[in-house]
Coordinates of all heavy atoms in Angstrom, one line a residue:
F1 N 275.8 -122.2 127.0 CA 276.2 -122.2 125.6 C 277.7 -122.3 125.6 O 278.3 -121.6 126.3 CB 275.7 -120.9 125.0 CG 276.0 -120.7 123.4 CD1 275.3 -121.3 122.6 CD2 277.1 -120.0 123.1 CE1 275.6 -121.3 121.2 CE2 277.5 -120.0 121.8 CZ 276.7 -120.6 120.8
P2 N 278.2 -123.1 124.7 CA 277.7 -123.8 123.5 C 277.5 -125.3 123.8 O 277.7 -126.1 122.9 CB 278.8 -123.6 122.5 CG 280.1 -123.7 123.3 CD 279.7 -123.0 124.6
A3 N 277.0 -125.7 125.0 CA 276.8 -127.0 125.4 C 275.6 -127.7 124.7 O 275.5 -129.0 124.7 CB 276.6 -127.2 126.8
G4 N 274.9 -127.0 123.9 CA 273.8 -127.6 123.2 C 274.2 -128.4 121.9 O 275.4 -128.5 121.7
I5 N 273.3 -129.0 121.2 CA 273.6 -129.7 120.0 C 272.6 -129.5 119.0 O 271.4 -129.4 119.2 CB 273.9 -131.3 120.3 CG1 274.4 -132.0 119.1 CG2 272.5 -131.8 120.8 CD1 274.9 -133.4 119.5
C6 N 273.0 -129.5 117.7 CA 272.2 -129.3 116.6 C 271.4 -130.7 116.3 O 271.9 -131.7 116.7 CB 273.0 -129.0 115.3 SG 273.7 -127.4 115.4
A7 N 270.2 -130.5 115.6 CA 269.4 -131.7 115.3 C 270.2 -132.8 114.5 O 270.1 -133.9 114.8 CB 268.2 -131.3 114.6
E8 N 271.0 -132.3 113.5 CA 271.6 -133.2 112.6 C 272.6 -134.0 113.4 O 272.7 -135.2 113.2 CB 272.3 -132.4 111.5 CG 271.4 -131.7 110.6 CD 271.3 -130.2 111.1 OE1 271.4 -129.9 112.3 OE2 270.8 -129.4 110.3
R9 N 273.4 -133.4 114.2 CA 274.5 -134.1 115.0 C 273.9 -135.0 116.1 O 274.3 -136.0 116.3 CB 275.5 -133.1 115.6 CG 276.4 -132.7 114.5 CD 277.5 -131.7 115.1 NE 276.9 -130.4 115.4 CZ 277.1 -129.7 116.4 NH1 278.0 -130.1 117.3 NH2 276.5 -128.6 116.6
N10 N 272.7 -134.5 116.7 CA 272.0 -135.3 117.6 C 271.7 -136.7 117.0 O 271.9 -137.7 117.5 CB 270.8 -134.5 118.2 CG 270.0 -135.3 119.2 OD1 270.1 -136.5 119.4 ND2 269.2 -134.5 119.9
L11 N 271.1 -136.5 115.8 CA 270.6 -137.7 115.1 C 271.8 -138.6 114.6 O 271.8 -139.8 114.8 CB 269.8 -137.3 113.8 CG 269.5 -138.4 112.8 CD1 268.7 -139.4 113.3 CD2 268.8 -137.7 111.5
L12 N 272.8 -138.0 114.1 CA 273.9 -138.7 113.4 C 274.7 -139.4 114.6 O 275.1 -140.6 114.4 CB 274.9 -137.8 112.6 CG 274.1 -137.3 111.4 CD1 275.0 -136.2 110.7 CD2 273.8 -138.4 110.4
F13 N 274.9 -138.8 115.7 CA 275.7 -139.4 116.8 C 274.8 -140.6 117.5 O 275.4 -141.7 117.8 CB 276.1 -138.5 117.9 CG 277.1 -137.4 117.3 CD1 277.2 -136.2 118.0 CD2 278.0 -137.7 116.4 CE1 278.0 -135.2 117.6 CE2 278.9 -136.8 115.9 CZ 278.9 -135.5 116.5
H14 N 273.5 -140.4 117.5 CA 272.6 -141.5 118.0 C 272.6 -142.7 117.0 O 272.7 -143.9 117.5 CB 271.2 -141.0 118.2 CG 270.3 -142.0 118.7 ND1 270.3 -142.6 120.0 CD2 269.3 -142.6 118.0 CE1 269.4 -143.4 120.1 NE2 268.7 -143.5 118.9
H15 N 272.7 -142.3 115.7 CA 272.7 -143.4 114.7 C 273.9 -144.2 114.9 O 274.0 -145.4 114.9 CB 272.5 -142.8 113.3 CG 272.9 -143.8 112.3 ND1 274.1 -143.8 111.6 CD2 272.2 -144.6 111.7 CE1 274.1 -144.8 110.7 NE2 272.9 -145.3 110.7
Q16 N 275.1 -143.5 115.0 CA 276.4 -144.2 115.1 C 276.4 -145.1 116.4 O 277.0 -146.2 116.3 CB 277.6 -143.1 115.2 CG 278.9 -143.8 115.3 CD 279.3 -144.7 114.1 OE1 278.9 -144.4 113.0 NE2 280.1 -145.7 114.3
A17 N 275.7 -144.7 117.5 CA 275.9 -145.5 118.7 C 274.8 -146.6 118.6 O 275.1 -147.6 119.3 CB 275.4 -144.5 119.8
T18 N 273.7 -146.5 117.9 CA 272.7 -147.5 117.9 C 272.6 -148.4 116.7 O 272.0 -149.5 116.8 CB 271.4 -146.9 118.3 OG1 271.0 -146.0 117.3 CG2 271.4 -146.2 119.7
A19 N 272.9 -147.8 115.6 CA 272.7 -148.6 114.3 C 273.8 -148.3 113.2 O 273.3 -148.0 112.1 CB 271.3 -148.2 113.7
P20 N 275.0 -148.3 113.5 CA 276.0 -147.9 112.6 C 276.1 -148.8 111.3 O 276.6 -148.3 110.4 CB 277.3 -148.1 113.4 CG 277.0 -149.1 114.4 CD 275.6 -148.9 114.8
D21 N 275.5 -149.9 111.4 CA 275.6 -150.8 110.1 C 274.4 -150.7 109.3 O 274.3 -151.4 108.3 CB 275.8 -152.3 110.6 CG 277.1 -152.5 111.2 OD1 278.1 -151.8 110.9 OD2 277.1 -153.4 112.2
D22 N 273.4 -149.8 109.6 CA 272.3 -149.5 108.9 C 272.4 -148.2 108.2 O 272.1 -147.2 108.8 CB 271.1 -149.6 109.9 CG 269.7 -149.7 109.1 OD1 269.7 -149.7 107.9 OD2 268.7 -149.7 109.8
S23 N 273.0 -148.2 107.0 CA 273.3 -146.9 106.3 C 272.2 -146.0 106.2 O 271.1 -146.3 106.1 CB 273.8 -147.3 105.0 OG 275.0 -148.1 105.0
I24 N 272.6 -144.7 106.3 CA 271.6 -143.6 106.1 C 271.5 -143.3 104.6 O 272.5 -143.2 103.9 CB 272.1 -142.3 106.8 CG1 272.0 -142.5 108.3 CG2 271.1 -141.2 106.4 CD1 272.7 -141.4 109.1
L25 N 270.3 -143.3 104.1 CA 270.1 -143.1 102.7 C 269.7 -141.7 102.4 O 270.2 -141.0 101.6 CB 268.9 -144.0 102.1 CG 269.1 -145.5 102.3 CD1 267.9 -146.3 101.7 CD2 270.4 -146.0 101.5
T26 N 268.7 -141.2 103.3 CA 268.2 -139.8 103.1 C 268.2 -139.1 104.5 O 267.7 -139.8 105.5 CB 266.8 -139.8 102.6 OG1 267.0 -140.4 101.2 CG2 266.3 -138.4 102.3
L27 N 268.6 -137.9 104.6 CA 268.6 -137.0 105.7 C 267.7 -135.9 105.4 O 268.0 -135.1 104.5 CB 270.0 -136.6 106.2 CG 270.0 -135.6 107.3 CD1 269.6 -136.3 108.6 CD2 271.5 -135.1 107.5
A28 N 266.6 -135.7 106.2 CA 265.8 -134.4 106.0 C 265.9 -133.5 107.3 O 266.0 -133.9 108.4 CB 264.3 -134.8 105.8
I29 N 265.9 -132.2 106.9 CA 266.0 -131.2 108.0 C 265.0 -130.2 107.9 O 264.7 -129.6 106.8 CB 267.4 -130.5 107.8 CG1 268.6 -131.5 107.7 CG2 267.7 -129.5 109.0 CD1 269.9 -130.9 107.2
A30 N 264.2 -129.9 109.0 CA 263.2 -128.9 109.0 C 263.2 -128.0 110.2 O 264.0 -128.4 111.2 CB 261.8 -129.7 109.0
S31 N 262.6 -126.9 110.2 CA 262.7 -126.0 111.4 C 261.3 -125.3 111.7 O 260.4 -125.3 110.9 CB 263.8 -125.0 111.2 OG 263.4 -124.1 110.1
D32 N 261.3 -124.7 112.8 CA 260.3 -123.8 113.2 C 260.9 -122.6 113.9 O 261.6 -122.8 115.0 CB 259.2 -124.4 114.2 CG 258.2 -123.5 114.6 OD1 257.9 -122.5 113.9 OD2 257.6 -123.8 115.7

């Protein structure tokens, strides 16, 4: 710790790396 990553940043950084020109319209967050 704190080397982990939150779900939102995991998703957003992956998006920037793979599809930065495909805008995000909606972001949903859920948990267990």
Side-chain angles (χ1 to χ4, degrees):
F1 181 83
I5 189 166
C6 296
E8 300 92 336
R9 284 181 286 141
N10 183 341
L11 167 61
L12 295 169
F13 294 152
H14 179 69
H15 170 263
Q16 181 63 35
T18 61
D21 297 326
D22 196 358
S23 295
I24 296 173
L25 303 179
T26 302
L27 172 68
I29 309 161
S31 67
D32 179 21

